[in-house]
Amino acid sequence: MIAFRFGLNKTGSLRGPLLITARQLQGDKDARKRFEDAAAAALTQCLPMKVTPAFGAILGESPIRLRFANTPPTAAYQLNSNITIFAPR
């Protein structure tokens, strides 16, 4: 699992760098690095997001927290306001 915190500007682009807030990766150093790089690439490939002017006006108010997990979905991952993306089985 790797968790990022980031902000988006009113046009849906990244506002500053991705911040890694948590990291629990398994495997050797190379495997952990590949998972971390793939998660960051998956996120940045989705940006900029298309946003409406009204939604864009509020994007700068709150950070977004997003986790990528390579484990089966569990209720424990949903205890807070994070958005979790689970790897397909």
Side-chain angles (χ1 to χ4, degrees):
M1 181 273 306
I2 188 164
F4 297 100
R5 187 178 75 201
F6 58 96
L8 297 176
N9 64 24
K10 66 182 179 180
T11 64
S13 297
L14 263 180
R15 189 184 62 208
L18 294 172
L19 174 64
I20 296 174
T21 58
R23 186 187 285 126
Q24 290 179 322
L25 303 175
Q26 307 238 341
D28 62 28
K29 184 178 180 180
D30 187 51
R32 293 190 310 264
K33 177 73 171 135
R34 283 193 320 267
F35 185 81
E36 186 174 319
D37 291 346
L43 177 56
T44 57
Q45 287 175 15
C46 294
L47 300 171
M49 293 176 39
K50 290 185 180 183
V51 297
T52 64
F55 185 56
I58 63 168
L59 275 175
E61 296 179 14
S62 299
I64 298 168
R65 292 173 177 83
L66 180 67
R67 292 186 291 201
F68 288 85
N70 60 347
T71 58
T74 63
Y77 277 111
Q78 304 304 323
L79 293 175
N80 54 34
S81 63
N82 287 327
I83 300 167
T84 303
I85 297 174
F86 291 95
R89 292 182 183 183

